Amino acid sequence: MLNLRSSLTLLKRNGFRPWHFGALAVLCGAAVAAGWPAWIDLFQQGWRDPEDTHVLLVPVVVFWLVLARRVRLRKVTPQNRWAGPVLVALGWLMYAYGDARLVESVWYLGAITTLVGAVLTIGGTDLVRYFLPAFGVLVFLIPIPGSLRAEIALPLQTAMAATAEWLCVTFGFPIERRGNVLEINGQPVAIEEACNGLRMVFSLILVTYAFAFSTPLRWYVRVLLLAVSPLLAIACNVVRLIPTIILYGYAGDAIGDFFHDIAGWAMLFVALLLLIGTLRLVDWLDLPVIRLDRAGRSE
């Protein structure tokens, strides 16, 4: 494993000089300053809107993926830096277009692309080659447009309500459903956007992404984990939903609200444990899980 000092030593050995690091800081600062309104709006939306809180996790995941893959710095050289200025120009065009046409997703993407271009202008395309997952996770910074989220959320709310009704009846709790509203013990409980599981799906996909690409796994194991994560998130949301409905009906709104919020975070950890269990299952089936380099060592 490499510490910060040895990582810098490797970069210097590969041709990077102190002026490279100074230029990188200046260019990245200029890129952020150029798209400052988009960056501020992006993180404010992630802070204000509970459905976009996963945006705040993205910088942490980027840092974690770079840290986990820092041994690859020995392969990075400052070559093929032409892609950087091209991305800066493309990002600025997208930023201007999104701002003029009020297309938020293009506006955000333009600011992100400009910053990536600034990094590649100094670091070269080797950075993308060896740290692709860290660049790829930046897509999660862009919030889902409201119209698209509604198309996903509304059917999911109905499905959650129907599933909750069936499970409550199965466990012997008398309950009635009218659309997305469940009535238990005379108390109406609405299955709204916060209860449909979509928030947990995006957060868990992000956590799974960090886990899958910071561990030396084979490609099909990573695909399996990412494919299973939304299903596990929805299943965990159902597990959270049943006791929440019962508490709203029999213990009141205050206790129901408290349990709803606490269980949301707890289920995220439960889902992550289930993902690790999935990895153990693949290993138990005697399928190769760990990816090895040419010398037979785990990468």
Side-chain angles (χ1 to χ4, degrees), residues 9 54 56 60 75 101-102 145 181 210 230 248 254 260 268 271-272 274:
T9 301
H54 65 276
L56 303 178
V60 178
K75 303 176 182 179
R101 299 289 182 175
L102 300 179
V181 178
Y248 272 119
H260 176 271
L268 190 61
L272 184 58
L274 290 175

Side-chain angles (χ1 to χ4, degrees), residues 153-238:
L154 293 177
L156 194 56
Q157 287 170 215
T158 302
M160 287 292 106
T163 303
E165 178 193 23
W166 180 78
L167 288 173
C168 284
V169 170
T170 300
F171 290 129
F173 291 94
I175 193 170
E176 294 183 2
R177 181 170 72 91
R178 295 186 298 275
N180 293 341
V181 178
L182 300 171
E183 185 172 325
I184 180 170
N185 194 33
Q187 299 294 323
V189 181
I191 307 299
E192 298 177 345
E193 191 172 8
C195 303
N196 62 23
L198 196 58
R199 184 189 313 175
M200 188 180 296
V201 166
F202 288 114
S203 296
L204 185 60
I205 289 177
L206 189 56
V207 172
T208 304
Y209 185 96
F211 174 76
F213 286 99
S214 62
T215 307
L217 302 175
R218 293 182 179 269
W219 69 267
Y220 56 80
V221 178
R222 287 171 176 162
V223 171
L224 175 64
L225 291 177
L226 291 172
V228 168
S229 60
L231 302 177
L232 290 180
I234 292 174
C236 288
N237 188 62
V238 171

Side-chain angles (χ1 to χ4, degrees), residues 23-297:
L24 178 64
V26 171
L27 286 180
C28 287
V32 172
W36 185 251
W39 288 108
I40 289 293
D41 189 76
L42 187 64
F43 283 100
Q44 283 182 344
Q45 186 169 338
W47 183 264
R48 293 193 307 261
D49 191 344
E51 300 304 311
D52 290 325
T53 51
H54 65 276
V55 168
L56 303 178
L57 292 175
V58 172
V60 178
V61 173
V62 171
F63 176 78
W64 172 254
L65 288 173
V66 172
L67 188 66
R69 290 172 163 248
R70 63 187 181 275
V71 68
R72 296 170 182 251
L73 288 172
R74 67 178 185 267
K75 303 176 182 179
V76 176
T77 57
Q79 297 178 354
N80 299 324
R81 291 181 288 180
W82 56 267
V86 172
L87 282 180
V88 169
L90 178 61
W92 180 249
L93 288 174
M94 288 191 293
Y95 180 85
Y97 177 85
D99 189 25
R101 299 289 182 175
L102 300 179
V103 184
E104 283 191 339
S105 56
V106 178
W107 188 47
Y108 295 140
L109 183 59
I112 295 168
T113 303
T114 302
L115 179 58
V116 172
V119 174
L120 297 190
T121 298
I122 301 300
T125 54
D126 278 352
L127 279 175
V128 176
R129 181 181 176 186
Y130 295 113
F131 291 89
L132 183 59
F135 287 97
V137 78
L138 295 175
V139 174
F140 286 91
L141 281 173
I142 304 173
I144 297 179
S147 57
L148 178 59
R149 185 166 63 188
E151 291 181 6
I152 301 173
L154 293 177
L156 194 56
Q157 287 170 215
T158 302
M160 287 292 106
T163 303
E165 178 193 23
W166 180 78
L167 288 173
C168 284
V169 170
T170 300
F171 290 129
F173 291 94
I175 193 170
E176 294 183 2
R177 181 170 72 91
R178 295 186 298 275
N180 293 341
V181 178
L182 300 171
E183 185 172 325
I184 180 170
N185 194 33
Q187 299 294 323
V189 181
I191 307 299
E192 298 177 345
E193 191 172 8
C195 303
N196 62 23
L198 196 58
R199 184 189 313 175
M200 188 180 296
V201 166
F202 288 114
S203 296
L204 185 60
I205 289 177
L206 189 56
V207 172
T208 304
Y209 185 96
F211 174 76
F213 286 99
S214 62
T215 307
L217 302 175
R218 293 182 179 269
W219 69 267
Y220 56 80
V221 178
R222 287 171 176 162
V223 171
L224 175 64
L225 291 177
L226 291 172
V228 168
S229 60
L231 302 177
L232 290 180
I234 292 174
C236 288
N237 188 62
V238 171
V239 172
R240 175 188 69 155
L241 199 55
I242 303 306
T244 300
I245 292 171
I246 295 172
L247 286 173
Y248 272 119
Y250 291 93
D253 291 347
I255 295 179
D257 288 339
F258 177 78
F259 180 83
H260 176 271
D261 295 336
I262 295 298
W265 288 105
M267 286 299 107
L268 190 61
F269 288 104
V270 171
L272 184 58
L273 290 176
L274 290 175
L275 283 170
I276 296 175
T278 302
L279 188 60
R280 298 289 186 185
L281 176 62
V282 173
D283 188 40
W284 179 78
L285 292 173
D286 204 23
L287 295 174
V289 174
I290 301 298
R291 180 181 178 183
L292 302 178
D293 61 16
R294 293 180 180 179
R297 300 168 298 185

